[in-house]
């Protein structure tokens, strides 16, 4: 059946908006989607970007991820068929345990310690957030459409805005440190009891964490043609 246009009726559970850039690892995306189907309550899967050939029962979002996160978020906000709020996920996001809702709110620590975030950090300081947190960690975030517009306005004059971080601080998400839930290495020392994992492409393809994820979701899910 493949991906298709989404009907106007909105579900009671939030949709998942998935942004897929050129070069994404197809099998990493496949297992991420399997983990959401198994453990993350949601309405529909809405995809922006190139759709893999195995994808089924998903809907297109008219946005180009290569134009940046802002383009995808604005398209999701403006598309009345996308739920409000909606979950924003990437192909590096794995949900490893059943969630009652959107899952825990996690952050990556002080934004001042994240390389390349000085511009976003300064903008948040101007807006009354002198010590903002980083939310650039690849785990699901529940986005309220009105609050997304506030974050997009704040990002309007920035050369390289970090939208998740702008949104998280301006919306007052708070949350807990992600800690070892972000896995960028091939070795075996990763938290197997973590409900959420953000896994780098190399770690997924070549690392112990990739084997762990693939063994956790061996069967095709409802978003696969062979599922």
């Amino acid at each position: 059946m493949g991906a298709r246009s989404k009907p106007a009726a909105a579900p009671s559970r939030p949709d998942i908006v998935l942004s897929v850039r050129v070069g994404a690892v197809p099998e990493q995306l496949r297992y991420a989607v399997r983990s959401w189907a198994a453990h993350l309550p949601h309405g529909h899967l809405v995809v922006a970007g190139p759709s893999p050939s195995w994808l089924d029962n998903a809907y297109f979002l008219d946005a180009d991820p290569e134009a940046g996160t802002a383009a995808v978020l604005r398209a999701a906000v403006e598309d009345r068929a996308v739920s409000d709020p909606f979950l924003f996920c990437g192909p590096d996001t794995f949900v490893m345990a059943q969630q009652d809702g959107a899952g825990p709110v996690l952050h990556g620590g002080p934004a001042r310690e994240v390389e390349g975030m000085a511009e976003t950090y300064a903008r948040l300081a101007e807006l009354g957030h002198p010590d903002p947190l980083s939310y650039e960690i690849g785990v699901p975030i529940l986005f309220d459409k009105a609050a997304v517009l506030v974050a997009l306005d704040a990002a309007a004059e920035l050369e390289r805005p970090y939208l998740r971080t702008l949104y998280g601080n301006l919306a007052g998400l708070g949350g807990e440190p992600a800690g070892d839930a972000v896995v960028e290495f091939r070795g075996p020392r990763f938290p197997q009891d973590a409900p959420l994992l953000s896994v780098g492409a190399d770690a997924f393809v070549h690392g112990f964490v990739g084997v762990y994820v693939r063994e956790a979701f061996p069967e095709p899910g409802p978003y696969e043609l062979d599922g």
Side-chain angles (χ1 to χ4, degrees), residues 138-155:
V139 298
I141 296 181
L142 189 66
F143 279 100
D144 172 86
K145 287 189 173 184
V148 169
L149 291 176
V150 173
L152 289 171
D153 286 344

Side-chain angles (χ1 to χ4, degrees), residues 103-109 133-135 137 139-140 168-169 171-179:
V105 177
L106 302 176
H107 64 75
L133 297 168
S134 169
Y135 290 90
I137 54 173
V139 298
N169 288 278
L173 292 187
E176 300 294 328

